[in-house]
Amino acid sequence: MDIRGCYQCWKWQVVCSFLLCSWGWVSGQLRYSIVEESDPGTLVGNVAQDLGIKRAEISQRRIYLRSEKYQKYFSVNQANGGLAVKDRIDRESLCGSSPRCLLQLEVVAENPVELHSLEIEILDINDNSPTFSSDDRIIEITELVASPGVQFDLEVAKDLDVGVNGVSQYILNTSPYFSLSVKSRKDGTLIPQLILEKVLDREEKQEYNLILTAIDGGEPARSGTCRITVVVLDINDNPPVFSQSVYKVSIRENLPLKTVILTLNATDQDDGANREIQFSFDGHTFESAREIFCLNEQTGEIYITGLVDYEEQTFYELSIKAEDNGFPKLKGNCIVQVEIEDMNDNYPEISFTSMTNNIPENAPSGDILGFIIVKDEDSGKNGEIKLNISANVPFKIKHMKNRYILVTDGNLDREETSQYTIELIASDLGSPPLYSKTSVTLSVSDINDNAPVFTQSTYNAFIKENSDPGTLLCTVSATDLDEGVNSDLVYSIVESQIHGSSVSSFAYIHSSDGNIYAQRSFDYEQIQVLQITIKVEDSGSPQLSSTVPVFIFILDTNDNAPALLYPEHSEDLIVQERIPKTTSAGYLVTKLSAVDLDSGHNAWLVFNLIDPINYSWFQVSKHTGEVRTLRGLQETENMEQQLVISITDQGIPPLSTTVTVLVTIVDEVIVERPKSGEFLTNSKPPSDMTLYLIISLVAISLVSLVTFVILLVRCLRKDRYDYSSSCCFLGEYNSKPCTDQYQPALYLNTDGTLKYMEVRMVPPGSQGQSYQTHLPPVQQHQDFNIVQPMNFPQLKDIFQETSSEVLNESNNVSSKI
């Protein structure tokens, strides 16, 4: 297929891919089933075939499974798309006793991306036997009481298998006194029950041993057994009796833990186990009482296990039952009433409510400052309180109904004392009395006589370009020595114009916390530094304020992809080049020149040949973009070669541009130099970037020429080797005193998107650099050449030559573009 055919196929593939991406992901449903415990490698199904993927496309589509829980059990063969078992599958551990065990997975196919639901049913095998939770079961039956036909529930056997592999029947060994009844619930579960066939006589036989067998329906069948022991008991017909029906106990609060407050006594007229008694709280005893009191089941002792607090509860009622160990169990009941006596165990509590946060220093005597509430949780004398105030303070307390008030008692002078700490002392009348103290701090109000001061003289903020509006830039902070409302600060931005726009359209400051936020997304290529002025005002009367400058530095991000400048290319970034058949190794096919509007690492470009294996006789210089041959042309080579070259910057993440170079091998390459008229007629209008480059080169050349002429005239006037005039000239320009000798030097600045030359004044010890720039003929495509630096005495001799070459360079660039 020729190069045009390949290009047409490639173009249709791009269109199809775009349509598929615009439609979204494709989803479907696959269902398979597999028996549990299948060996690893067992084939479940062919995913690729069921999805309609051709065998030749399987490796390209990269089919794989995705599931957090079940992915480890299965794998997809990348060669044929077969779905196989990867690890041992135990249905019972995955799904338990659920009737159906369905594992939900997802099948992902790439190029294009398709997402399909995969449902795999795990089929059960009979690999588990029925089991009972206990191998032994004891059933107690009282003699002469249980009549024939009485049923006793037996334990249901459990089988991890489901369906037909579950429990299907129960068998009981033969006995004249017992038989087995099996009932089936609605869900199919079998419930075994033991049925009494004859009245039991303990004197005839005290114990019966039975075997219950559970059998499943699998092939082969599995079974499990449980031993059932029937014990014949004596008749229990006397309940326990307490010595009192109601017990009354009075205790003090705060008794130590484990203190016994009462020992209960109960008797039973029966013999043996029927007269053994256990004590416990019955259901009428509240949970709060159970947390405070505990009952010994054997001895009947009631003791304290929690904090007994009169202020929390003054009375508890405990309902006690005494239960014997007979069958059926008989019980007796009694009530224990516990009364709590108060002790002086609570300190007085003082609560102060202030009428004002600050006291005016001219407040009159007797002015109310706040209310004092004093209380004691104790009762009687233990709850009566006396309140005193610390001495030598211009305040006093007065009693008013059930509270106290704090009032001024003298003149206040802020210049003498700006803050008072008052100590309030409360004591109860208990024995012994309990005391409590609290401190009240009162401040004398101030006037607004201090302006806010920023913590820094300047603030610097850094933000990446293209950051979202609302991004926090920095936080300014100020302090005010005043108090209260006089120290409440409000931040704002001083209104100004930046590039013709209001400063409020660039930044916003939170008035209370000083946080400065971006109002827009910044572009480093348009603006690098912003300066705004922040103002802070207090809330006093009159208001005082101060300002601080804030510098906002815009940081460059990699948001511009490289753009191809040379050679001329089509809209699809396709470059056409011709080389002769006689090409040898190292032949320059073309040279790509590109530019990145970003700066720093984001603008460093690297050229790479995509798929270098298929085009092994070409290479691309990473840093210069030169495309050269690695060897001579062979007879078997195609006459047309398509090279795909990636131009990538060094940003994070890197951005790239792909250029397609169509190389045509011809017998001879004829360099056609169009006439000026034809060139102007056929040439395309230059891009804005080309226009800017031409204007910049011409302007810089003219400025450099004029600057050198002025400097040389002034220097040659005084002395050939006296450069003070040049230094002073430069010093005047910078508005700084001239103290050192300087000499001019020519530098080539390569930062940014435009390359330009500039003249700098440097000390005599350093060397300026003179650069010769030119563009070679079209066939060579070489960069600017850099000549070694020269000293200043040589600069004069080569000045005229350098200037003319710079001007020629501008003309060459414009004509070449």
Side-chain angles (χ1 to χ4, degrees):
M1 182 182 294
D2 58 6
I3 190 67
R4 295 182 179 178
C6 293
Y7 172 70
Q8 292 295 331
C9 293
W10 172 79
K11 184 168 71 174
W12 280 110
Q13 289 177 1
V14 171
V15 173
C16 293
S17 300
F18 174 79
L19 292 176
L20 287 176
C21 293
S22 65
W23 291 338
W25 285 19
V26 180
S27 62
Q29 177 73 41
L30 298 178
R31 295 177 182 270
Y32 299 104
S33 61
I34 187 68
V35 177
E36 67 169 329
E37 305 294 346
S38 296
D39 295 333
T42 301
L43 182 64
V44 180
N46 193 297
V47 175
Q49 180 179 349
D50 294 339
L51 291 179
I53 299 175
K54 298 180 180 180
R55 187 177 183 87
E57 300 176 354
I58 292 177
S59 59
Q60 180 183 359
R61 296 298 300 274
R62 292 188 65 249
I63 304 172
Y64 60 91
L65 301 178
R66 185 174 67 180
S67 173
E68 295 182 359
K69 296 173 59 178
Y70 308 123
Q71 185 173 349
K72 66 178 182 178
Y73 296 107
F74 304 96
S75 63
V76 176
N77 191 313
Q78 296 297 324
N80 56 25
L83 176 65
V85 176
K86 183 179 178 181
D87 197 1
R88 175 181 175 271
I89 303 176
D90 185 7
R91 181 190 183 281
E92 288 70 34
S93 63
L94 293 176
C95 303
S97 59
S98 176
R100 297 189 66 189
C101 184
L102 298 177
L103 306 185
Q104 303 292 338
L105 298 93
E106 290 182 343
V107 178
V108 181
E110 299 182 355
N111 301 318
V113 175
E114 293 183 0
L115 181 65
H116 300 271
S117 297
L118 174 60
E119 188 176 81
I120 302 178
E121 180 179 4
I122 308 303
L123 304 178
D124 184 42
I125 62 173
N126 191 26
D127 58 343
N128 293 281
S129 300
T131 59
F132 293 90
S133 61
S134 176
D135 294 336
D136 295 290
R137 171 75 185 277
I138 297 177
I139 300 177
E140 296 178 344
I141 303 176
T142 305
E143 63 172 338
L144 305 179
V145 174
S147 58
V150 175
Q151 298 179 350
F152 301 90
D153 291 335
L154 300 178
E155 181 185 356
V156 177
K158 296 182 179 179
D159 195 326
L160 297 179
D161 298 322
V162 296
V164 69
N165 295 326
V167 177
S168 63
Q169 60 176 321
Y170 291 93
I171 299 175
L172 184 70
N173 62 325
T174 305
S175 172
Y177 291 93
F178 302 93
S179 63
L180 182 66
S181 173
V182 180
K183 296 181 179 180
S184 177
R185 291 194 314 198
K186 187 175 182 179
D187 60 356
T189 303
L190 300 180
I191 308 299
Q193 291 181 328
L194 185 66
I195 301 177
L196 181 64
E197 297 291 343
K198 295 182 180 181
V199 176
L200 301 179
D201 187 357
R202 182 178 177 278
E203 286 70 30
E204 180 180 339
K205 191 173 183 180
Q206 301 181 4
E207 188 177 283
Y208 296 88
N209 295 315
L210 305 174
I211 301 296
L212 177 65
T213 304
I215 304 174
D216 62 24
E219 285 291 341
R222 293 174 175 265
S223 63
T225 60
C226 176
R227 292 186 296 272
I228 301 174
T229 302
V230 180
V231 179
V232 183
L233 304 178
D234 193 13
I235 296 176
N236 181 29
D237 54 351
N238 290 290
V241 178
F242 285 96
S243 58
Q244 295 177 226
S245 60
V246 178
Y247 295 85
K248 294 184 179 181
V249 181
S250 180
I251 62 174
R252 296 179 302 167
E253 64 174 331
N254 300 325
L255 283 177
L257 301 180
K258 301 297 181 181
T259 300
V260 178
I261 64 172
L262 179 64
T263 300
L264 300 175
N265 182 28
T267 59
D268 195 314
Q269 299 298 324
D270 293 325
D271 291 331
N274 293 334
R275 66 178 300 172
E276 296 177 0
I277 299 174
Q278 289 186 340
F279 299 92
S280 62
F281 294 113
D282 65 11
H284 299 290
T285 302
F286 294 143
E287 188 64 29
S288 60
R290 295 174 184 263
E291 294 176 356
I292 303 297
F293 304 99
C294 188
L295 176 61
N296 189 310
E297 294 183 354
Q298 305 301 325
T299 63
E301 291 180 344
I302 301 176
Y303 55 93
I304 296 175
T305 58
L307 177 63
V308 179
D309 190 355
Y310 174 85
E311 288 71 36
E312 199 170 301
Q313 192 164 342
T314 61
F315 176 81
Y316 294 93
E317 184 171 278
L318 310 177
S319 181
I320 310 297
K321 69 177 179 179
E323 193 173 40
D324 60 25
N325 292 328
F327 185 85
K329 294 179 180 293
L330 302 179
K331 64 180 180 179
N333 298 85
C334 75
I335 299 297
V336 178
Q337 297 177 345
V338 183
E339 293 185 359
I340 311 300
E341 297 177 356
D342 183 39
M343 300 292 294
N344 190 24
D345 60 340
N346 289 283
Y347 290 86
E349 297 179 2
I350 305 173
S351 176
F352 177 75
T353 303
S354 177
M355 297 292 294
T356 177
N357 293 331
N358 296 283
I359 309 170
E361 57 181 338
N362 59 349
S365 181
D367 193 9
I368 298 176
L369 304 178
F371 297 94
I372 305 172
I373 300 176
V374 185
K375 62 180 180 178
D376 195 317
E377 297 292 340
D378 294 324
S379 60
K381 290 290 184 180
N382 298 330
E384 297 182 12
I385 304 171
K386 294 188 302 181
L387 181 63
N388 296 310
I389 190 172
S390 56
N392 301 322
V393 292
F395 306 100
K396 66 179 179 179
I397 56 175
K398 291 183 178 181
H399 190 269
M400 179 186 293
K401 295 183 179 179
N402 60 343
R403 66 181 65 187
Y404 297 88
I405 59 173
L406 179 65
V407 299
T408 57
D409 186 30
N411 295 326
L412 303 177
D413 188 356
R414 182 189 175 278
E415 286 68 32
E416 182 179 341
T417 305
S418 62
Q419 190 177 77
Y420 292 92
T421 300
I422 304 171
E423 190 175 67
L424 302 176
I425 305 171
S427 63
D428 60 26
L429 301 182
S431 181
L434 299 178
Y435 299 87
S436 63
K437 299 180 181 180
T438 188
S439 295
V440 177
T441 302
L442 299 177
S443 300
V444 181
S445 61
D446 190 22
I447 62 173
N448 188 28
D449 58 349
N450 291 284
V453 178
F454 284 96
T455 58
Q456 297 178 210
S457 59
T458 60
Y459 289 86
N460 294 329
F462 300 90
I463 182 174
K464 292 183 178 180
E465 65 170 330
N466 303 324
S467 296
D468 295 333
T471 301
L472 177 65
L473 298 174
C474 68
T475 301
V476 297
S477 177
T479 58
D480 196 314
L481 297 179
D482 295 324
E483 296 177 344
V485 68
N486 296 331
S487 63
D488 293 340
L489 304 182
V490 177
Y491 299 90
S492 62
I493 299 178
V494 177
E495 183 60 34
S496 63
Q497 294 289 321
I498 299 178
H499 296 293
S501 300
S502 174
V503 68
S504 60
S505 65
F506 290 88
Y508 161 78
I509 186 170
H510 196 280
S511 60
S512 60
D513 58 18
N515 289 338
I516 303 176
Y517 302 92
Q519 284 283 75
R520 61 169 65 178
S521 179
F522 296 102
D523 188 355
Y524 175 85
E525 286 71 35
Q526 294 182 0
I527 186 169
Q528 290 80 39
V529 182
L530 293 174
Q531 179 181 354
I532 62 177
T533 302
I534 302 300
K535 179 181 179 182
V536 61
E537 290 182 313
D538 58 25
S539 300
S541 180
Q543 289 182 329
L544 301 178
S545 64
S546 61
T547 60
V548 68
V550 177
F551 296 92
I552 302 173
F553 296 91
I554 315 302
L555 304 179
D556 184 41
T557 60
N558 192 26
D559 59 343
N560 291 284
L564 183 65
L565 294 180
Y566 182 83
E568 182 179 356
H569 56 84
S570 64
E571 294 182 357
D572 296 331
L573 289 178
I574 298 177
V575 177
Q576 305 249 355
E577 294 291 344
R578 296 184 299 170
I579 62 175
K581 289 184 179 181
T582 58
T583 296
S584 60
Y587 181 83
L588 179 62
V589 178
T590 186
K591 180 184 183 304
L592 303 181
S593 297
V595 67
D596 195 312
L597 296 181
D598 295 319
S599 64
H601 285 81
N602 298 330
W604 292 3
L605 304 182
V606 175
F607 300 82
N608 287 299
L609 180 63
I610 299 177
D611 196 10
I613 297 178
N614 293 335
Y615 305 99
S616 58
W617 63 295
F618 292 98
Q619 70 174 2
V620 178
S621 175
K622 286 189 175 182
H623 303 292
T624 65
E626 292 181 348
V627 181
R628 294 182 179 273
T629 57
L630 291 175
R631 56 177 173 80
L633 178 65
Q634 299 177 3
E635 294 296 333
T636 58
E637 301 289 353
N638 292 331
M639 293 297 101
E640 292 187 358
Q641 299 288 333
Q642 176 176 303
L643 307 180
V644 181
I645 299 174
S646 172
I647 308 175
T648 308
D649 58 29
Q650 301 300 301
I652 299 178
L655 300 178
S656 63
T657 298
T658 302
V659 179
T660 302
V661 179
L662 299 179
V663 181
T664 304
I665 301 173
V666 297
D667 294 334
E668 183 180 358
V669 176
I670 300 175
V671 179
E672 297 181 0
R673 297 186 179 273
K675 298 180 181 179
S676 58
E678 295 177 354
F679 178 84
L680 294 175
T681 303
N682 299 327
S683 61
K684 297 181 180 179
S687 63
D688 292 342
M689 182 60 67
T690 303
L691 179 61
Y692 295 156
L693 181 59
I694 295 172
I695 295 174
S696 299
L697 289 173
V698 173
I700 292 301
S701 301
L702 294 176
V703 171
S704 300
L705 178 61
V706 173
T707 302
F708 272 112
V709 170
I710 295 174
L711 291 176
L712 289 174
V713 169
R714 297 194 59 163
C715 290
L716 293 176
R717 270 183 169 182
K718 299 184 69 177
D719 196 316
R720 180 180 179 86
Y721 299 100
D722 182 9
Y723 310 113
S724 60
S725 61
S726 298
C727 174
C728 292
F729 172 77
L730 195 60
E732 293 172 1
Y733 178 81
N734 292 326
S735 300
K736 295 182 181 180
C738 181
T739 58
D740 298 326
Q741 300 298 321
Y742 287 80
Q743 64 183 21
L746 182 63
Y747 285 81
L748 177 63
N749 190 315
T750 59
D751 293 337
T753 59
L754 295 178
K755 321 301 180 185
Y756 60 89
M757 300 177 66
E758 64 178 346
V759 179
R760 301 181 186 176
M761 302 302 297
V762 299
S766 62
Q767 291 183 342
Q769 291 185 351
S770 173
Y771 295 87
Q772 179 181 6
T773 59
H774 66 89
L775 288 176
V778 177
Q779 295 88 335
Q780 297 181 4
H781 305 288
Q782 294 183 357
D783 275 339
F784 296 114
N785 294 331
I786 301 177
V787 182
Q788 296 298 324
M790 300 182 181
N791 294 329
F792 179 76
Q794 298 171 305
L795 190 61
K796 179 180 178 183
D797 298 332
I798 65 170
F799 172 74
Q800 297 297 333
E801 180 182 356
T802 303
S803 301
S804 61
E805 287 182 355
V806 171
L807 292 175
N808 292 335
E809 177 64 21
S810 301
N811 297 329
N812 290 338
V813 171
S814 61
S815 63
K816 185 169 184 62
I817 296 177

